[in-house]
Amino acid sequence: MTHSLRIPDLTIPTRPQPGTGWSAGVGPGDAGDPAISDVDVIRVNGAARLAGTVHVVGAKNSALKLMAAALLAPGRSVITNVPRITDIAIMGEVLRRLGCDVRFDVDDPVDPMVAVGGAPRSRSVTIDVPEQPGVEADYDLVRRLRASICVLGPLLARRGYVRVAHPGGDAIGSRGLDMHISGLTRMGADISGEHGFVIASAPQGLHGAEITLEFPSVGATENLVMAAVLADGTTVIDNAAREPEIVDICTMLIRMGALIEGEGTSTITVVGVPRLQPVRHATVGDRIVAGTWAFGAAMTRGDVTVTGLDPSYLEIALDKVVAAGGLVETRANAFRVRMEERPRAVDVVTLPYPGFATDLLPMAIGLAALSDGASLITENIFDGRFMFANEMMRLGADIKTDGHHAVVRGRERLSGAPVRATDIRAGAGLIIAGLCADGVTEVSHVHHVDRGYPDFVADLRALGIEVERATAPEEPELTI
């Protein structure tokens, strides 16, 4: 028998867990959350301008990993400022099936800037971890959330054995697990593959090692750090990822009792300890959501203030906005972007942090499509990131791709059309591009957007946009 876990814009089949859903302890207001539909569409009218203030809550790319890190310590950990998105709900169910008790509650107190139309967009998640958590992450959930591979490191460190299904996630190119596997192997793990699962064992426990990553992979860095905190001896990870989300997870682990140095640099040193304790930790603000609004303001010649994030996390992206002619003001935990004239063309190259984030590439292409001149956009992280370019071209964008390069010749205005979101960031970029198009733009498959943005439609409305979310009519059934 299965039940349905009700959360914003998603219904996930789950095992019976009374009182553990998004609505637990929230009150009747949450009962009105819309149900998920993979065929939902978002419609916007063109010639629109973003103006106002928007608050950014916790980073999806951090909160998911913080939830996995809770597995390292038996007992109750609480993570606050967690975005109210579908990926978080899926990770909650991954942890439940590992034997954890997971409950989502309203953050207390709730910052009024975090609520849109009275509905808080962030949550706290309470995770009660047993002394002996489960060791298998099921395919039916892992296939929907690539980040669930991050349970590999902590479970291997805690239990000495783990089976995790090969992950799914966005279709933006190959993202192999080679660096995860080679690093854990150097720490003493025996890893194999069988029936679609990664199977790792370390019956004698993990030990410290010197590991050099071929590429500063965020996921590999996170998994290896989480495995190393309970390993015997010292682990040194060279060419480690430097993202703010890496610093965030290391900060939480240190508060749990881990011995870590070098977080935020290319060399992280971890001295293993016998045991960690549960902790309460607040998620760092989402720099990708904040960057989305920064580019949205530039694309629509708008005026947007973004709060809830240290603007230094977006230094390169904001520099690109300035180079395009935008006016950027920064202060503690907030920034403002204004664009008064048509943006100028700027070239963009995605690189690991502190370089330009690959997740902001759809927004960079959107800006280039409206700029005066031609821009060269180079993608160095994911080989499939340009998949959404065809959808942008349906809006009239002049884009020519060649391998990991795209030449974009700007136009004064785009043309509204039906388009399809191919991943989280592409969906957000297409919706904002639709604001700069003549006529109506209808973006389908917006369940992708729900995976990364707590309430994109509400934020658009708060910034002065007339926007509609609706269920698309069913396509006629064809027979032969």
Side-chain angles (χ1 to χ4, degrees):
M1 179 177 178
T2 60
H3 290 253
S4 289
L5 171 64
R6 291 279 299 178
I7 62 170
D9 301 322
L10 180 65
T11 301
I12 301 176
T14 73
R15 299 176 182 179
Q17 294 283 343
T20 57
W22 281 111
S23 298
V26 176
D30 273 24
D33 289 332
I36 185 65
S37 172
D38 283 358
V39 294
D40 269 11
V41 298
I42 290 178
R43 299 187 186 97
V44 294
N45 292 313
R49 177 176 180 266
L50 294 170
T53 299
V54 63
H55 183 84
V56 171
V57 297
K60 153 184 147 42
N61 290 335
S62 189
L64 293 168
K65 318 304 173 58
L66 298 174
M67 292 173 70
L71 289 167
L72 287 161
R76 176 172 295 179
S77 286
V78 179
I79 304 166
T80 63
N81 198 30
V82 172
R84 197 176 186 215
I85 56 175
T86 57
D87 274 15
I88 294 294
I90 296 171
M91 179 59 82
E93 184 60 16
V94 169
L95 296 180
R96 287 193 189 102
R97 296 191 188 183
L98 292 170
C100 302
D101 181 57
V102 181
R103 187 181 72 252
F104 296 96
D105 298 291
V106 174
D107 274 339
D108 186 26
V110 176
D111 186 326
M113 288 300 299
V114 178
V116 176
R121 293 176 297 143
S122 69
R123 286 286 186 268
S124 63
V125 54
T126 300
I127 306 170
D128 285 295
V129 180
E131 284 287 346
Q132 296 290 320
V135 295
E136 182 169 318
D138 298 334
Y139 171 72
D140 64 322
L141 290 175
V142 174
R143 69 180 176 85
R144 301 177 61 181
L145 179 64
R146 182 177 178 83
S148 52
I149 193 64
C150 65
V151 304
L152 178 63
L155 286 178
L156 184 59
R158 281 287 311 278
R159 298 297 311 277
Y161 177 83
V162 60
R163 282 169 49 95
V164 180
H166 279 286
D170 283 337
I172 54 175
S174 59
R175 298 191 285 186
L177 301 179
D178 290 354
M179 285 181 283
H180 303 244
I181 292 170
S182 63
L184 291 172
T185 299
R186 288 188 64 83
M187 296 171 68
D190 181 16
I191 302 179
S192 61
E194 179 181 288
H195 304 302
F197 280 83
V198 176
I199 303 171
S201 63
Q204 305 304 315
L206 297 172
H207 57 73
E210 293 190 3
I211 302 167
T212 300
L213 299 179
E214 296 178 5
F215 177 86
S217 162
V218 173
T221 300
E222 290 164 338
N223 247 331
L224 295 174
V225 167
M226 286 190 283
V229 293
L230 293 179
D232 180 21
T234 300
T235 299
V236 179
I237 306 170
D238 282 323
N239 199 26
R242 301 166 57 187
E243 276 76 359
E245 295 79 18
I246 296 291
V247 176
D248 197 26
I249 193 171
C250 288
T251 299
M252 176 175 167
L253 292 171
I254 291 169
R255 295 187 63 201
M256 294 171 75
L259 300 177
I260 303 173
E261 292 183 352
E263 65 275 17
T265 74
S266 58
T267 301
I268 298 177
T269 301
V270 183
V271 179
V273 297
R275 187 177 176 91
L276 299 178
Q277 63 267 2
V279 73
R280 184 181 182 92
H281 180 80
T283 311
V284 70
D286 197 317
R287 61 194 172 96
I288 304 303
V289 174
T292 299
W293 297 122
F295 275 84
M299 289 168 64
T300 63
R301 305 186 201 183
D303 185 349
V304 175
T305 297
V306 181
T307 65
L309 179 96
D310 182 346
S312 68
Y313 296 159
L314 281 172
E315 184 176 355
I316 299 297
L318 293 178
D319 284 349
K320 292 297 181 182
V321 171
V322 171
L327 304 172
V328 176
E329 303 169 16
T330 63
R331 61 176 189 269
N333 217 38
F335 64 87
R336 178 185 181 188
V337 173
R338 290 178 290 155
M339 181 70 79
E340 297 175 352
E341 304 292 338
R342 183 183 178 189
R344 298 187 294 267
V346 293
D347 296 339
V348 171
V349 178
T350 67
L351 290 168
Y353 189 86
F356 190 93
T358 179
D359 279 353
L360 289 176
L361 182 133
M363 279 53 83
I365 287 184
L367 180 64
L370 295 155
S371 296
D372 183 9
S375 303
L376 176 63
I377 311 293
T378 303
E379 167 59 32
N380 288 314
I381 311 299
F382 294 130
D383 53 17
R385 185 64 87 174
F386 286 137
M387 285 176 58
F388 91 107
N390 287 335
E391 302 301 310
M392 281 292 296
M393 286 187 275
R394 285 182 54 80
L395 296 177
D398 184 350
I399 305 172
K400 290 182 172 57
T401 62
D402 181 10
H404 61 114
H405 300 287
V407 175
V408 186
R409 292 179 171 83
R411 292 181 170 172
E412 182 71 29
R413 188 161 293 280
L414 301 176
S415 178
V419 292
R420 180 175 65 92
T422 54
D423 63 71
I424 298 171
R425 310 306 171 183
L430 288 166
I431 292 168
I432 292 176
L435 303 178
C436 310
D438 293 324
V440 176
T441 294
E442 180 178 280
V443 182
S444 65
H445 293 72
V446 294
H447 60 284
H448 287 299
V449 180
D450 297 332
R451 291 183 47 225
Y453 295 82
D455 198 336
F456 202 64
V457 168
D459 280 337
L460 287 169
R461 288 175 178 153
L463 294 174
I465 302 301
E466 293 185 10
V467 55
E468 176 189 15
R469 178 167 180 149
T471 300
E474 292 186 9
E475 295 183 2
E477 184 176 341
L478 302 177
T479 60
I480 58 172

